[in-house]
Amino acid sequence: MTGATQGQPRATQGQPRATQGSPLRIAVVGDTLLDVDVSGTSERLSPDAPVPVVDVRTDDRRAGGAGLVATMLARDGHDVTLVTVLSDDARADEIRALLPGVRIVAGPSGVPTPVKTRVRVVDHALVRIDEGCATPPVPDATEEMTAALTGVDAVVVADYGRGVAAAPALRDALSRIAVDTPVVWDPHPKGAAPVAGISVATPNSAEAHRFTDLDGDGVPFATDAAAALVESWDVGAVAVTLGDRGALVAHRSTADGGAARSAGRAVDTRFVPAPSVSAGDPCGAGDRLAAGVAVALASGADVGDAVAAGVADASAYLAAGGVAALFADDGPAPVAVPGVDRDAMRLVHEVRSAGGTVVATGGCFDLLHAGHARTLSAARALGDCLVVCLNSDDSVRALKGPDRPIMTQDDRVELLLALDCVDAVVVFDEHTPDEALRRFRPDVWAKGGDYAVSDLPETATLAEWGGRVVTVPFHPGRSTTRLAAALEHVG
């Protein structure tokens, strides 16, 4: 078995918020389960049925649910108490062993420990197996559990729909604590509504749909849902999270004081965009966000800035590799996908599964200009998605000299992804994108310029799997070199 942490909590890649001064005392309240990640490779089908055979490379185990939130905060250096319920079986003992840096205050669950096992092949989820995950009766909260909430700097409620957050004694205690202590509530579609008076609730869009009767999606829906939930839950603020787009925060307006609340027109709203990152496995991103919000509130931030801090933490967590990076020091790393952005692989799989055409193009894109925009737009029109193969900073320096690139690869990725015609970006370190292309095998390679297809080095690579190479219109007079020279002259 791998995945068990050893020794004291430590800072880990993907956990960006450093502790300032003494560690915060944070209580995490919620349902705890055992998460198992089985990862391997698959190169053949079973002779018994047309299903893949997985050759297991890693078997990683961790405390899930509220246990994952507690792990994150403990590894940030905080003094963490986990208030939960646990069974008396061997898997509950395993969960305790997986939380050496966390004080556990647990009542009896009365049911077997739930286990969620995810089986992955390289970077793709194959199947999830749930054991003992049927919704149990609401557990009884012990006096020790409610007493553990006193004297803390912040509380995170991680509701995973198994009843801990619905326990009446805990809810009463949380209502009392919320008067003068930040309480962040991460709800669940099958869970209880947050108690009145908490600082902020952080539902995602699906959870916001569950708790409202509103239709729609995106920012318009999130704006209406957040405002409605502030009123119906009677909480200080609601942040509806929108995945890689960020979050929409609604909070009670302070302009009219009590008059605004009594009139029922409660709220101001603020959109918090997420940084553009190359994200893979999203497991734990909502937990990371809620934990970051709680830390920021306990450190004195207002709700808007606290949610912005939580969004930044979640983005950094995903960019660093998510839950796999969080536990990277605890055992063998999961099988990686070298050189290819996970989002691009997922996109290519989805488009190809739907019978669509995958188009790719490439370049340095050091200073985006109109010629680039026209070329990229023309390339996108050739199929159903466009993946841009982008030279890394090291690759650009090797090709163009020590003074290049002008913009870092992170900035270039962000600008490319801001274009509607670009669906994903792959960064590569070599002189040519051939190895990256071999990983996701686009149907079409598009190149802008006055080239002959036969002269393009990628032509032979695309031929390996029957792909085709086309050129798109070249726009004379637009070039990064010319633009950079003009800017230097102006400067």
PDB file of all heavy atoms in Angstrom, residues 42 113 135 151 164 183 206 217 271 345 352 416 433:
ATOM      1  N   SER A  42      -2.748  -0.166 -19.908  1.00  0.00           N
ATOM      2  CA  SER A  42      -3.585  -1.189 -20.531  1.00  0.00           C
ATOM      3  C   SER A  42      -3.219  -1.300 -21.999  1.00  0.00           C
ATOM      4  O   SER A  42      -3.292  -0.313 -22.733  1.00  0.00           O
ATOM      5  CB  SER A  42      -5.066  -0.835 -20.380  1.00  0.00           C
ATOM      6  OG  SER A  42      -5.874  -1.827 -20.978  1.00  0.00           O
ATOM      7  N   THR A 113     -17.294   1.593   6.810  1.00  0.00           N
ATOM      8  CA  THR A 113     -16.575   2.709   6.202  1.00  0.00           C
ATOM      9  C   THR A 113     -16.779   2.721   4.691  1.00  0.00           C
ATOM     10  O   THR A 113     -16.534   1.707   4.028  1.00  0.00           O
ATOM     11  CB  THR A 113     -15.076   2.602   6.509  1.00  0.00           C
ATOM     12  OG1 THR A 113     -14.877   2.657   7.915  1.00  0.00           O
ATOM     13  CG2 THR A 113     -14.296   3.728   5.839  1.00  0.00           C
ATOM     14  N   THR A 135     -26.543   6.164   1.285  1.00  0.00           N
ATOM     15  CA  THR A 135     -26.723   7.198   2.304  1.00  0.00           C
ATOM     16  C   THR A 135     -27.177   6.570   3.622  1.00  0.00           C
ATOM     17  O   THR A 135     -28.224   5.919   3.678  1.00  0.00           O
ATOM     18  CB  THR A 135     -27.753   8.235   1.841  1.00  0.00           C
ATOM     19  OG1 THR A 135     -27.326   8.779   0.591  1.00  0.00           O
ATOM     20  CG2 THR A 135     -27.879   9.352   2.867  1.00  0.00           C
ATOM     21  N   GLY A 151     -13.126  27.595  20.390  1.00  0.00           N
ATOM     22  CA  GLY A 151     -11.756  28.090  20.444  1.00  0.00           C
ATOM     23  C   GLY A 151     -10.973  27.988  19.159  1.00  0.00           C
ATOM     24  O   GLY A 151      -9.749  28.142  19.172  1.00  0.00           O
ATOM     25  N   VAL A 164     -23.312  13.829   8.519  1.00  0.00           N
ATOM     26  CA  VAL A 164     -22.653  14.525   9.618  1.00  0.00           C
ATOM     27  C   VAL A 164     -23.116  15.978   9.701  1.00  0.00           C
ATOM     28  O   VAL A 164     -23.422  16.490  10.781  1.00  0.00           O
ATOM     29  CB  VAL A 164     -21.122  14.440   9.481  1.00  0.00           C
ATOM     30  CG1 VAL A 164     -20.435  15.336  10.510  1.00  0.00           C
ATOM     31  CG2 VAL A 164     -20.649  13.005   9.655  1.00  0.00           C
ATOM     32  N   VAL A 183     -17.105  30.550   9.284  1.00  0.00           N
ATOM     33  CA  VAL A 183     -17.527  29.194   8.948  1.00  0.00           C
ATOM     34  C   VAL A 183     -17.743  29.132   7.438  1.00  0.00           C
ATOM     35  O   VAL A 183     -18.548  29.887   6.887  1.00  0.00           O
ATOM     36  CB  VAL A 183     -18.816  28.783   9.685  1.00  0.00           C
ATOM     37  CG1 VAL A 183     -19.261  27.383   9.229  1.00  0.00           C
ATOM     38  CG2 VAL A 183     -18.603  28.808  11.198  1.00  0.00           C
ATOM     39  N   ALA A 206     -23.877  22.562 -10.047  1.00  0.00           N
ATOM     40  CA  ALA A 206     -24.823  21.469  -9.865  1.00  0.00           C
ATOM     41  C   ALA A 206     -25.490  21.539  -8.499  1.00  0.00           C
ATOM     42  O   ALA A 206     -26.700  21.311  -8.366  1.00  0.00           O
ATOM     43  CB  ALA A 206     -24.106  20.130 -10.034  1.00  0.00           C
ATOM     44  N   ASP A 217     -27.397  28.364 -16.943  1.00  0.00           N
ATOM     45  CA  ASP A 217     -26.041  27.951 -16.619  1.00  0.00           C
ATOM     46  C   ASP A 217     -25.113  29.149 -16.730  1.00  0.00           C
ATOM     47  O   ASP A 217     -25.540  30.260 -17.030  1.00  0.00           O
ATOM     48  CB  ASP A 217     -25.572  26.817 -17.533  1.00  0.00           C
ATOM     49  CG  ASP A 217     -25.705  27.162 -19.022  1.00  0.00           C
ATOM     50  OD1 ASP A 217     -25.707  28.363 -19.352  1.00  0.00           O
ATOM     51  OD2 ASP A 217     -25.804  26.241 -19.842  1.00  0.00           O
ATOM     52  N   PHE A 271     -17.694  38.798  -9.668  1.00  0.00           N
ATOM     53  CA  PHE A 271     -17.147  37.647 -10.387  1.00  0.00           C
ATOM     54  C   PHE A 271     -15.662  37.550 -10.096  1.00  0.00           C
ATOM     55  O   PHE A 271     -14.925  38.528 -10.232  1.00  0.00           O
ATOM     56  CB  PHE A 271     -17.389  37.768 -11.886  1.00  0.00           C
ATOM     57  CG  PHE A 271     -16.793  36.629 -12.684  1.00  0.00           C
ATOM     58  CD1 PHE A 271     -17.199  35.318 -12.457  1.00  0.00           C
ATOM     59  CD2 PHE A 271     -15.823  36.864 -13.632  1.00  0.00           C
ATOM     60  CE1 PHE A 271     -16.650  34.265 -13.170  1.00  0.00           C
ATOM     61  CE2 PHE A 271     -15.264  35.822 -14.356  1.00  0.00           C
ATOM     62  CZ  PHE A 271     -15.686  34.516 -14.122  1.00  0.00           C
ATOM     63  N   MET A 345      -5.491  16.166 -24.121  1.00  0.00           N
ATOM     64  CA  MET A 345      -5.786  14.749 -24.301  1.00  0.00           C
ATOM     65  C   MET A 345      -7.263  14.459 -24.069  1.00  0.00           C
ATOM     66  O   MET A 345      -7.891  13.690 -24.792  1.00  0.00           O
ATOM     67  CB  MET A 345      -4.929  13.913 -23.346  1.00  0.00           C
ATOM     68  CG  MET A 345      -3.453  13.930 -23.686  1.00  0.00           C
ATOM     69  SD  MET A 345      -3.083  13.133 -25.270  1.00  0.00           S
ATOM     70  CE  MET A 345      -3.340  11.414 -24.829  1.00  0.00           C
ATOM     71  N   ARG A 352     -12.962  13.042 -30.700  1.00  0.00           N
ATOM     72  CA  ARG A 352     -12.847  11.847 -31.517  1.00  0.00           C
ATOM     73  C   ARG A 352     -13.977  10.851 -31.218  1.00  0.00           C
ATOM     74  O   ARG A 352     -14.503  10.198 -32.120  1.00  0.00           O
ATOM     75  CB  ARG A 352     -11.477  11.219 -31.278  1.00  0.00           C
ATOM     76  CG  ARG A 352     -10.989  10.370 -32.408  1.00  0.00           C
ATOM     77  CD  ARG A 352      -9.498  10.169 -32.347  1.00  0.00           C
ATOM     78  NE  ARG A 352      -8.747  11.137 -33.141  1.00  0.00           N
ATOM     79  CZ  ARG A 352      -7.570  11.633 -32.799  1.00  0.00           C
ATOM     80  NH1 ARG A 352      -7.016  11.278 -31.667  1.00  0.00           N
ATOM     81  NH2 ARG A 352      -6.963  12.486 -33.580  1.00  0.00           N
ATOM     82  N   LEU A 416      -3.296  32.620 -25.800  1.00  0.00           N
ATOM     83  CA  LEU A 416      -3.851  31.718 -26.814  1.00  0.00           C
ATOM     84  C   LEU A 416      -5.202  31.166 -26.374  1.00  0.00           C
ATOM     85  O   LEU A 416      -6.153  31.112 -27.157  1.00  0.00           O
ATOM     86  CB  LEU A 416      -2.870  30.576 -27.088  1.00  0.00           C
ATOM     87  CG  LEU A 416      -1.650  30.933 -27.940  1.00  0.00           C
ATOM     88  CD1 LEU A 416      -0.611  29.829 -27.864  1.00  0.00           C
ATOM     89  CD2 LEU A 416      -2.050  31.187 -29.396  1.00  0.00           C
ATOM     90  N   PRO A 433       7.420  19.826 -32.867  1.00  0.00           N
ATOM     91  CA  PRO A 433       6.366  19.247 -32.029  1.00  0.00           C
ATOM     92  C   PRO A 433       6.081  17.778 -32.323  1.00  0.00           C
ATOM     93  O   PRO A 433       5.039  17.260 -31.908  1.00  0.00           O
ATOM     94  CB  PRO A 433       5.156  20.112 -32.402  1.00  0.00           C
ATOM     95  CG  PRO A 433       5.359  20.449 -33.832  1.00  0.00           C
ATOM     96  CD  PRO A 433       6.859  20.622 -33.987  1.00  0.00           C
TER      97      PRO A 433
END
